[in-house]
Amino acid sequence: MALNGMQIYKLLPRKNCKECGFPTCLAFAMKLAQGGTEAEKCPYMSDEAKAQLAEATAPPMKTVKFGANDTEYTLGGETVLFRHEKTFVNRPRFAIMFSDIMAQEEIEKKINNINTINYTRINEEMYVEIAAFRCESQDKDRFISLIKKVTESCPKVVPMIITESPEIAEAAVGICADKGPILFGANEQNYEAMTDLAKENKLLLGVTADGKENLYTLVQKLQNTGYKELLLDAGSRNLKGAFDDMVNIRRTALLSGDRTFGYPAVAFVCDMSQDKMMQLACASLFIEKYASIIVLSDMDYSMALPLFALRQNIFTDPQRPMRIEQGIYKVGSADEESPLLVTVDFALTYFIVSGEVERSKVPSWILIPDAGGYSVLTAWAAGKFNAKSIAKAVKEFEVENKVKTRELIIPGKVAVLKSDIEDELPGWKVTVGTEEAAALPNFLKKYKAKEAAS
Amino acid sequence: MAYKMPTQKYSGKILEVNVGSDLKLGGESVLPFYSFDGDIGNKPAIGMEIWDIFPESWPAGVLDVFKEVADDPVKWAKHCIEKYNPDFICIKFEGASPDGLNKSVEECAKVAKRLAENVSVPLVIAGCSNNEKNAKLFTKIAEALPNKSYVFLSAVESNYKEVAAAVGLAYGNIVAAESSVDLNLAKQLNILITQLGVKPDKMVMNPGCAAVGYGFEYAVTTMDRIRLAALEQNDATLQMPMILPVSFESWKVKESVVSEEEIPEWGPQEERGIAMEISTAVGVLTAGANAVILRHPRSVEVIRNFITEMTE
Ligand code: B12
Ligand code: SF4
């Protein structure tokens, strides 16, 4: 729980020596309570007091890390239950489940899927971040060889080691410690040994118990050992139960301010259904409602496209709209004869459009006027994307000096702007493009062919 | 210290709206699916979208499923009801569009009437993209189908007076108020419509929909805020159930329309369309949708399964 100024004051040395830059210890305490300065500024505070203060001023949900180097990820650290209250900060990461009693073909298929899914959407690289390994054979060698095989074939994935045996866990950690694996499976029986192993290797430790009550007691025990790099699992393996766990773990931390549940949580969607589309439904739910790691049986492009898109949307900061700088942009090796398109300064729209232009392999120019940072129709409806703003951009970015063409391709959704723009820009012709950018490659190829013919 | 589960108890409650003779929407007094907090009201309903004309423009992934029956809306609707058991049918009068076939409102009303006489589930009547035409269309259809408690999608800022007067007041049907992803706009339109005399329990809302990946976060956040205002602040002007036409959005984005030949690594087009529809539907259900409109039978099956597991 947060401390007030007076409570903090009692923890200070009360020397009034001013070394912290404040006239008195009390003034320093007051400022500290508001978060306006740092405890480190007082050189005379006891370690005990520092620890107490750190505890009191820590955010309600801990930020933890897993992975290593280029594939290090941050989880947790959320401060709100709804994104409009501030923003969600750390997106959930996806894991694919492997088991050491799985048929070889199945393993190969999953490896292949992991290596196939790799694309960029609005400047973000999309791929499966984690391979989860469940030890079901209880055969150490078999388990190790599975982990080796998959991590060697999929260099980007971070392993998640799932076993309740500290001995098997130790062997597994031994072969992939450099990848910063997640160690999952600390329970009532094994938690001391598992915590030692996690501590030694600085690993994120997955804690599992049957039900929230048992998990709560177990986490308290774990916290008493001083290890706080935790990932929670309250044991439900059906959709409704897991939703209850996820919402209530998060609310316990953020609403009740109880840090026992102030850690990220994992959803084992792979155990909730055998149907891939049902897993997709469950995973979509848990992106919005509070999972930090989502374990699926498998993932192909049909699942990846909506899941990564949804995740990207939900974890966009509502206070910082994604805007792209106005100007004239070149796609490919566009020259003065290349087609010229106009779109808006909403980053989502720009990246979709430029992606499609790239896919068309027709080098082109894209003009971005000031459209208020909105999508095509939003900007049009708000009066920000119109003949005036487009004509202004043509002048401001000296388009007439950069290209010879006097033809402008506009988004199909704002076909109504055609004659207005032609009035605003004497000597220019406006061509109405397609409604959806996905049809741009065909459109541009035809456009280019027609131009060549004339 | 033992674990104490937090709960969120609210003073507000979502209105229960009766659609057709026995489909109930809304009624919850907690956030969507929060059965651990209290009464989650009626299960969210699933509708299937059909058109008054053959849906030439639908992507192959979903057109192929219906191409044998889609030449006639009654045949199409019966096929859906018999095979997939939706809670309602949403007929979209695409053929009324002045930019398209520009069918007369009389002709459309005949279709609606024939449909109503031949189906066992309630109807949701959706218009074309022209709001002016929709006002006339809805008036005519509501007149042809009085006191049916069918939902008319939608009354918008520019036509709500005509739509509300005909649909809600004169002919006893349900007005869907559609706004553009903004809590205040939703509130304002609801107030204007109720001020005309439409009872709040004869209304539903469409606060604006998008497909996942396409400004979807704005849709979710608007819905979150509407639900919190309705429950937490007991704001009576925002307590109508929400209906989201998921299929209108999810089948037109790239993921659903690009063929496998164009991007081979993406795999079968049909699967992608279904997946976009499912993810978008779950996304809005989680934010408070009381009804979703879908196209593909597989999406209907999965979303029904999802709703059952979340509510039973
Ligand atoms: C998210 C959203 C918002 C967000 C804005 C987010 C943003 N930065 O733009 C917010 C909530 C702020 C908003 C506000 C408003 N919105 Co708004 N919004 C939407 C929503 C849900 C999604 C828009 C989106 O992100 N689309 C995705 C992007 C990628 O699409 P896009 O920019 O059109 O790009 C595509 C194509 O146009 C094409 N394309 C783009 N450029 C080019 C270029 C060329 C050459 C070609 C060929 C193709 C092409 O490629 C893209 C992919 O296919 C839509 C509804 C919907 N489902 O579409 C309503 C919508 C656009 N909004 C609408 C309205 C009316 C408004 C407001 C005016 C409401 C109001 N009265 O206040 C305000 C305006 C802002 C203001 N207050 O000043 C209406 C517009 C109605 C109309 N037909 O005119 C819509 C359609 C909702 C509706 N059905 O009523 N909105
Ligand atoms: S440095 Fe520490 S002891 Fe000195 S005045 Fe500041 S708070 Fe007090």
Side-chain angles (χ1 to χ4, degrees), chain A residues 83-84 121 216 220 240 243-244 251-252 261 275-276 281 284-285 288-289 301-302 313 348 356 359, chain B residues 1 3 6 8 34-35 37 213 216-217 221 225 254 262 265 271 275 279 282-283 286 298 309 312:
Chain A
R83 57 185 292 284
H84 65 265
R121 185 177 205 278
Y216 191 83
Q220 284 181 327
K240 191 179 184 184
F243 179 66
D244 178 334
R251 292 200 302 193
T252 304
F261 275 172
D275 175 3
K276 129 178 160 180
S284 302
L285 171 81
E288 272 177 41
K289 291 275 159 123
Y301 255 106
S302 73
N313 276 174
L348 173 66
E356 294 302 321
R359 196 161 68 90
Chain B
M1 200 172 71
Y3 178 60
Q8 288 167 290
Y34 280 36
S35 43
D37 277 354
F216 188 71
E217 70 274 35
T221 283
R225 293 186 58 213
K254 178 178 181 185
E262 251 184 287
E265 66 271 26
E271 299 251 307
S279 200
V282 170
T286 307
R298 180 84 168 100
E309 285 200 24
E312 281 173 9

Side-chain angles (χ1 to χ4, degrees), chain A residues 81-84 116 121 212-213 216 220 239-240 243-244 247-249 251-252 255-256 258 260-261 272 275-278 280-282 284-285 288-290 300-303 305-307 309-310 313-314 316 321-322 346 348 352 356 359 436 438 441-442, chain B residues 1-8 31-37 211-218 220-221 224-225 228 252-255 257-258 262-263 265-267 271-272 274-276 278-279 282-284 286-287 298 302-303 305-306 309-312:
Chain A
L81 290 171
F82 295 95
R83 57 185 292 284
H84 65 265
T116 308
R121 185 177 205 278
K212 294 189 283 293
E213 291 75 14
Y216 191 83
Q220 284 181 327
L239 179 59
K240 191 179 184 184
F243 179 66
D244 178 334
V247 169
N248 284 302
I249 286 174
R251 292 200 302 193
T252 304
L255 280 186
S256 316
D258 182 344
T260 310
F261 275 172
M272 294 176 201
D275 175 3
K276 129 178 160 180
M277 290 297 178
M278 187 62 184
L280 169 73
C282 301
S284 302
L285 171 81
E288 272 177 41
K289 291 275 159 123
Y290 313 144
D300 60 14
Y301 255 106
S302 73
M303 299 170 83
L305 294 170
L307 287 177
L310 176 60
N313 276 174
I314 297 296
T316 299
M322 309 186 295
F346 181 33
L348 173 66
I352 290 173
E356 294 302 321
R359 196 161 68 90
E436 298 299 331
N442 272 331
Chain B
M1 200 172 71
Y3 178 60
K4 193 170 166 296
M5 195 174 97
T7 53
Q8 288 167 290
L31 289 169
F33 305 119
Y34 280 36
S35 43
F36 34 81
D37 277 354
V212 290
Y214 293 86
F216 188 71
E217 70 274 35
Y218 292 92
V220 163
T221 283
D224 280 346
R225 293 186 58 213
L228 288 170
K252 70 179 187 205
V253 294
K254 178 178 181 185
E255 289 80 351
V257 302
V258 165
E262 251 184 287
I263 309 185
E265 66 271 26
W266 277 14
E271 299 251 307
R272 284 184 266 120
I274 294 168
M276 289 301 282
I278 289 175
S279 200
V282 170
V284 294
T286 307
R298 180 84 168 100
V302 173
I303 294 300
N305 194 357
F306 174 81
E309 285 200 24
M310 289 296 282
T311 53
E312 281 173 9

Side-chain angles (χ1 to χ4, degrees), chain A residues 341-343 346 348-349 352-353 373-378 380-382 409-411 413 433-437 440, chain B residues 178 180-181 185 209-210 214-215 218 249:
Chain A
L341 302 91
V342 62
T343 185
F346 181 33
L348 173 66
T349 305
I352 290 173
V353 172
Y374 290 133
S375 79
V376 170
L377 277 181
T378 308
W380 177 77
I409 304 169
I410 63 170
K413 286 183 189 169
T434 56
E435 292 223 346
E436 298 299 331
L440 257 176
Chain B
E178 178 181 341
S180 322
V181 278
L185 293 177
C209 194
Y214 293 86
Y218 292 92
E249 300 296 329

Side-chain angles (χ1 to χ4, degrees), chain A residues 152-173:
Chain A
E152 276 163 17
S153 319
C154 311
K156 245 179 166 168
V157 296
V158 178
M160 174 169 173
I161 298 162
I162 305 179
T163 174
E164 302 199 330
S165 151
E167 190 203 332
I168 295 178
E170 188 168 2
V173 169

Side-chain angles (χ1 to χ4, degrees), chain A residues 13 15-20 25 28 42-44:
Chain A
K15 288 156 71 110
N16 291 327
C17 69
K18 303 191 174 64
E19 281 182 46
C20 55
C25 293
F28 178 71
C42 169
Y44 304 109

Side-chain angles (χ1 to χ4, degrees), chain A residues 99 139 318 337 349 358 400 412 419:
Chain A
S99 151
D139 174 344
E337 308 286 345
T349 305
E358 258 166 50
E400 298 196 342
S419 59

